[in-house]
Every structure is written in structure tokens, then in C-alpha cells.
Amino acid sequence: MTKAKPVIITCAVTGAIHTPSMSPHLPITPDEIRDAALGAAEAGAAIVHLHARNPENGQPSQDVNLFRQFLPQIKKQSDVVINITTGGAPNMGVEERLQPTLLLKPELASLNMGSMNFGLYEMLQRFQDFKYDWERPYLEESDDRIFRNTFRDITYILESCTKNGTRFEVECYDIGHIYAAQHFVQRGLLKTPVFLQSVFGLRGGIGGDPEDLMHMRRTADRLLGKDYVWSILGAGRNQIPLATMGLAIGSNARVGLEDSLWDGPGQLAASNAHQVRRIRTVIEALGHRVATPDEAREILQLKGRNQVDF
């Protein structure tokens, strides 16, 4: 009999899109981020994708000292692959965004493949009351905000991390971003297999239609051949439906409160672990099984958990 395919679940536990007033379940403090990551790993996530936040007001932060308050504890208590953001938040510069990855040398880090409009302002139609002063302007001003990721920025991140041995979760929000990934592979700066995270449903990127997913797949196959590992990230209500479509044709999946606060129409997800369990059910129903962290390391050719600096 054919062996069940190991499928990598990534869980992005807090991110920089949602603000604290949107959900009481969004992890904010280092302890909450630690517990969310460990809960997701226990539920079946092989990778946890991590941002930090100011524990006083929940504002996104790339302060390395905040990351140091939860990364060692996660590593001590779990063998999960730790993935640090280089995206930070759309209102940060590239040098600020890079610092945690540059200094802490994780096995894996995220890397956006292009500059884009990154519109969060439509969330104001759903959320009206905010606890902290920064939240409303952060959303309102996103209609005039460009999330900058120039070719020079991407080159800077890749070259800066070469000696660290960090590999990348390459986030592609549109078709041109896959061409950018191919470009950096051809330049020898991005190593294969490319861990290609296709992102759907964010304002400014590709939509969340099934045809959008297939277009991403066809383009990646044409440009990267067999030199990539595919994963699906559906934002908001797209999370489980698009991941399910992708899983049916061979993808891996990313879930978590960074990407969606929801567990069905009008129902807030109680935890990151709950979303992991939901997608695990889909994976197993399709006849696959969830990959262990060490299987994810082998598939993505990571350097190993003892080669980090935390």
C-alpha cells in the first residue's frame, strides 16, 4: 500500500494584521505567544511562524529582546520548527524587520517577494471600538500604505542571512511574486527547494477564488518545476476552504490567528491550536497525515534546531 503523505502544518500565531481589540484570543504578551506556539505544536503544527508584540498595548514590534522572552522557552519545551518573520509590519523599514532573524539565526524565516498595497482599512467596517490609541490609525492609514519589499530589500535580507544558514518561507501574494522567487533562485541567492507560501485574499494581493489558487499552482510548476514545496495561506474566511482545496491537489497548509480570527461565520476562533486541529482533520480525511517537525526539517532541508542562536 502507498504510505500516507506527510503534510506540513504551519501555524502563524499572532502576526501584525489584527489588532488586540478584535479578539480576546489574539496572543499579545511573550507568555501568551509562547503558550500559543506550544499549543499549536501539540495539536500538530510542525512549524510555528512568530511575530512579537509590545506587551503593554499589543502593537507589532521587532524588538529582539521581546523575541528572546519566548523563543528559548518554545525551543526547550518542543521540537517544533521556529520561523521568525522578516515582514514585521507594513509600516516598518527593512533593517528593523530583519533584526530578529539576523541576530537569532532561526532555521526558517518568512520573506515577502514584492512590494504591494496592503489594505487593512476594510476591517473598520466590522470593528468600531478600540482599546488602544494606535489601532484605529493603523487600520485607517493602510489605504495609503505600501508594504515595501524591493529587489534590493530582498537581496539585502538573503545576503545578510547567508552565513546563518537560515532558509525562507517565501510569501507570494500575487503571480509576479513567483517570478521574483524564480529570479532569486537563478541569481543563486534563494536556495531550493523553495518553501512557497501562496497567500490568498488580502486586499492588494491575489483573490481567494479557486481559479486564483490554480493559477498560482500552474505558474509555480512552470517556473520552479519540482524545486519547490507548496503551502496555502487563505486569509480570513478563505483559511480552511482554500487550504482544503490545496491539500486535495498536493499542498501543505498554514493556519493561525495571524491569518484569520475566525472559526466559521461570526464565530471567533478560541485558539491557534483549535485551527490546527481543524485543518488536521481535513488532512487526515484526505488520507494524509501531519508531518512531524523533523519530517518538515527533512522536506525543507533545514539546518537543525541546535544551529540557532536562542
Side-chain angles (χ1 to χ4, degrees):
M1 294 181 63
T2 302
K3 293 183 179 180
K5 175 192 172 184
V7 175
I8 298 169
I9 300 175
T10 298
C11 185
V13 306
T14 189
I17 292 175
H18 301 110
T19 71
S21 299
M22 295 179 181
S23 172
H25 309 299
L26 187 69
I28 299 299
T29 69
D31 285 352
E32 290 170 347
I33 293 169
R34 174 203 64 203
D35 291 347
L38 291 172
E42 184 177 358
I47 300 170
V48 287
H49 170 78
L50 301 176
H51 290 239
R53 290 177 180 261
N54 181 330
E56 300 300 322
N57 63 7
Q59 193 164 12
S61 173
Q62 289 296 92
D63 183 345
V64 177
N65 291 325
L66 288 175
F67 282 87
R68 288 192 172 115
Q69 291 180 43
F70 55 79
L71 292 183
Q73 297 176 51
I74 297 169
K75 181 187 174 190
K76 182 178 181 180
Q77 296 180 54
S78 175
D79 65 347
V80 69
V81 176
I82 292 173
N83 173 348
I84 298 178
T85 179
T86 69
N91 58 348
M92 297 177 182
V94 66
E95 291 194 12
E96 178 184 4
R97 288 160 36 197
L98 176 61
Q99 290 310 301
T101 293
L102 183 63
L103 297 176
L104 300 174
K105 306 176 184 178
E107 294 182 79
L108 193 62
S110 65
L111 179 58
N112 294 64
M113 278 288 113
S115 300
M116 59 183 290
N117 294 325
F118 206 91
L120 306 176
Y121 55 90
E122 290 169 290
M123 292 184 183
L124 292 167
Q125 298 173 16
R126 181 183 291 270
F127 301 99
Q128 301 294 327
D129 299 321
F130 296 99
K131 181 177 179 180
Y132 301 107
D133 290 343
W134 70 271
E135 295 179 81
R136 181 177 293 278
Y138 181 72
L139 300 173
E140 286 178 337
E141 295 167 8
S142 69
D143 66 352
D144 193 34
R145 182 180 299 142
I146 294 173
F147 187 17
R148 173 182 163 139
N149 295 282
T150 66
F151 291 119
R152 183 178 294 179
D153 292 339
I154 296 168
T155 300
Y156 172 65
I157 291 173
L158 290 170
E159 290 182 339
S160 297
C161 295
T162 296
K163 293 181 181 180
N164 293 352
T166 297
R167 300 291 292 264
F168 290 91
E169 173 198 19
V170 174
E171 296 189 357
C172 294
Y173 293 76
D174 222 329
I175 296 300
H177 294 177
I178 303 178
Y179 282 86
Q182 180 201 41
H183 169 72
F184 285 106
V185 169
Q186 291 173 337
R187 288 176 60 183
L189 292 174
L190 186 61
K191 296 180 179 179
T192 58
V194 177
F195 185 27
L196 188 71
Q197 191 72 254
S198 292
V199 184
F200 300 93
L202 279 167
R203 182 66 66 200
I206 200 168
D209 190 86
E211 179 55 33
D212 295 320
L213 187 148
M214 293 307 302
H215 189 26
M216 277 274 201
R217 173 64 183 270
R218 289 190 296 266
T219 304
D221 283 349
R222 179 164 47 83
L223 298 181
L224 298 172
K226 296 181 179 180
D227 290 334
Y228 78 102
V229 176
W230 193 35
S231 184
I232 298 296
L233 186 174
R237 66 179 182 272
N238 297 302
Q239 185 178 83
I240 300 300
L242 282 183
T244 300
M245 294 176 205
L247 289 165
I249 56 173
S251 80
N252 300 278
R254 175 170 142 172
V255 296
L257 297 186
E258 170 174 351
D259 306 324
S260 177
L261 296 176
W262 305 101
D263 185 30
Q267 178 66 44
L268 289 171
S271 69
N272 283 278
H274 186 71
Q275 290 186 345
V276 172
R277 286 191 289 268
R278 281 177 64 87
I279 202 63
R280 180 174 189 158
T281 299
V282 174
I283 291 167
E284 293 172 346
L286 289 170
H288 307 315
R289 61 180 177 83
V290 296
T292 67
D294 282 341
E295 286 176 321
R297 289 183 173 96
E298 182 178 357
I299 292 167
L300 300 175
Q301 299 181 22
L302 304 181
K303 64 182 179 179
R305 65 192 302 269
N306 294 323
Q307 303 300 313
V308 300
D309 201 12
F310 55 84

